[in-house]
Amino acid sequence: MSVTPLEALPLETLRRRSSTKWRTHPHDVLPMFVAETDFPLAEPIREALAEAVAIGDTGYTPPDPGLRDVFAAFAARRYGWEVDPARVDWTGDVMMAVVEVLRGVIAPGDEVVVTPPVYPPFFFCVEEAGGVPRSVPLAATGAGWSLDLAGIEAALAAGARAVLLCNPHNPTGTVHSRETLARLAAIARRYGAVVVSDEIHAPLAQPGTGFTPFLAAGEDAAEVGYAITSSSKAFNLAGLKCALIVTAAAHTTRVVRGLPREVEWRTGLLGAIATRAAFAPASDAWLDALLARLDENRHLLAALLTEHLPEARFVVPDAGFLGWIDLSAYGWGDDPAEAVLHGARVALQRGPDFGAGGLGHARINFGCGPDVLREAVARIGALARA
Ligand SMILES: Cc1ncc(COP(=O)(O)O)c(C=O)c1O
């Protein structure tokens, strides 16, 4: 059965939004940088939030906000992953969870493996947790990217205590194979290290790409892993502050329960209410329509680049709404986003901030309507020809 792709809101409506995407640059700039999307909220979320606002339900998040069973059911339906609801915990957002879990498992000064190019806050959050980021860049396979397992093993053998995994990966949109994840888990277990798996983009893995939640990658993964996820990327709820921490073994659950009580208290009540609605079956049709839109857009982006920026290098992502583009052929220096912002009035995310492999690159957000994507790439193409 084919699904009708979700329609984005019109630009004049989006420009009334007050979020970072719409209030960082003047209106003549097309904002394709921060990871917010341009779609109307899923109806079940809108209804749940409207009801909460109508009755002033804006206090503290209760001891059991009803997230456990709804997430376990979502994981079973969408990924075939069996989650023990009793091992689901929550906090304000994914990066808070990353910091607090790392703080719980490393000692100050320990190295934590990150795999650049990667979401820039990974570097700062390792530092916030008292760790030292140790870069083991992704390996280019020709057809995409993969984890450099030998490099990660060498880093763990040299003393790194944890791996901060991005699954699926931001900015490349790579879905790591089950086998890769299982091997990573085995390596981590051998060295007594942990894997913290950021799975915020998981609901946006395209069907057929073989997405595997890290904790579902076998017995070793269940022993060494902490999965952190959220409804916030897929359903555009980042401002509401709710993320989930999932574990699969008694000792890892104990670490999460041993974190300061404030970690749980930071969960936003509207975030918990919206997340319950997002992960409920009633929102599946909306999510499928979003995936259909993003599937069209990722291929549209590839076609637009071929047409307007034929020297750009781009691999169609397996997941999400972010595209990683090598623009180094255009002579725009290490940070093409700078030239593109000033010369084409399109705001991209700066490549160098993603660490090793980021020079000459930029990240584009294609979680928008196709017309906006067409306009953005055409503008950048015109700059390239100027
Ligand atoms: C991989 C990744 N992790 C975390 C975040 C931020 O999540 P949060 O706002 O829940 O901290 C993002 C945002 O784009 C992301 O791409």
Side-chain angles (χ1 to χ4, degrees):
M1 195 182 67
S2 78
V3 176
T4 306
L6 195 60
E7 293 298 327
L9 290 166
L11 267 181
E12 58 275 17
T13 306
L14 292 165
R15 287 187 176 127
R16 283 172 30 219
R17 286 184 174 175
S18 61
S19 60
T20 293
K21 187 172 185 184
W22 298 98
R23 292 295 166 95
T24 300
H25 297 286
H27 278 178
D28 67 316
V29 171
L30 283 178
M32 320 291 279
F33 65 113
V34 71
E36 298 177 18
T37 53
D38 296 354
F39 305 101
L41 286 182
E43 194 54 27
I45 298 176
R46 219 182 57 75
E47 278 171 14
L49 290 175
E51 164 68 4
V53 170
I55 62 169
D57 189 12
T58 48
Y60 292 111
T61 303
D64 183 357
L67 296 167
R68 293 197 153 115
D69 289 334
V70 85
F71 180 71
F74 179 87
R77 263 191 341 273
R78 307 285 307 189
Y79 318 131
W81 173 27
E82 203 177 313
V83 168
D84 177 352
R87 299 193 193 283
V88 176
D89 292 273
W90 42 90
T91 187
D93 62 36
V94 165
M95 296 318 295
M96 275 184 207
V98 166
V99 170
E100 297 304 337
V101 169
L102 282 177
R103 242 199 274 276
V105 294
I106 63 169
D110 280 348
E111 288 193 335
V112 176
V113 172
V114 292
T115 59
V118 75
Y119 181 58
F122 273 30
F123 299 98
F124 328 133
C125 286
V126 167
E127 285 169 3
E128 191 181 334
V132 176
R134 162 82 178 247
S135 286
V136 179
L138 293 180
T141 62
W145 295 267
S146 67
L147 294 175
D148 172 5
L149 291 173
I152 293 174
E153 175 156 17
L156 297 181
R161 304 302 304 143
V163 178
L164 179 51
L165 176 71
C166 199
N167 179 42
H169 194 88
N170 171 359
T172 59
T174 307
V175 160
H176 305 296
S177 71
R178 179 181 294 269
E179 191 207 340
T180 299
L181 297 175
R183 287 175 57 206
L184 172 66
I187 292 166
R189 195 169 186 182
R190 192 171 320 136
Y191 292 95
V194 310
V195 175
V196 177
S197 184
D198 175 338
E199 304 191 348
I200 196 169
H201 295 278
L204 296 176
Q206 287 291 345
T209 53
F211 169 72
T212 305
F214 180 74
L215 294 180
E219 202 184 303
D220 291 331
E223 278 297 307
V224 302
Y226 296 80
I228 300 171
T229 192
S230 172
S231 59
S232 64
K233 284 302 117 180
F235 295 90
N236 200 40
L237 302 171
L240 299 186
K241 295 292 167 195
C242 178
L244 302 178
I245 309 172
V246 186
T247 43
H251 66 103
T252 49
T253 307
R254 211 173 307 120
V255 168
V256 176
R257 302 280 158 81
L259 296 176
R261 271 181 56 72
E262 279 308 310
V263 173
E264 184 182 317
W265 271 98
R266 289 173 192 148
T267 312
L269 177 57
L270 293 179
I273 289 169
T275 296
R276 224 168 42 224
F279 286 144
S283 291
D284 280 1
W286 183 96
L287 181 56
D288 290 336
L290 174 66
L291 283 163
R293 163 60 57 218
L294 298 181
D295 184 37
E296 280 195 10
N297 280 6
R298 64 186 176 146
H299 294 295
L300 174 64
L301 176 58
L304 290 168
L305 290 170
T306 303
E307 181 185 346
H308 296 281
L309 291 158
E311 307 292 324
R313 285 191 295 166
F314 171 69
V315 176
V316 173
D318 300 322
F321 51 83
L322 303 171
W324 184 235
I325 311 176
D326 179 351
L327 291 166
S328 52
Y330 287 98
W332 291 327
D334 288 346
D335 181 15
E338 184 69 19
V340 168
L341 176 61
H342 295 295
R345 308 303 280 161
V346 176
L348 303 175
Q349 200 77 23
R350 299 166 185 280
D353 293 349
F354 289 75
L359 298 186
H361 288 66
R363 192 192 73 181
I364 191 166
N365 175 343
F366 59 82
C368 57
D371 290 350
V372 170
L373 189 57
R374 279 191 198 96
E375 169 71 16
V377 181
R379 284 190 195 184
I380 304 170
L383 177 68
R385 289 188 302 277

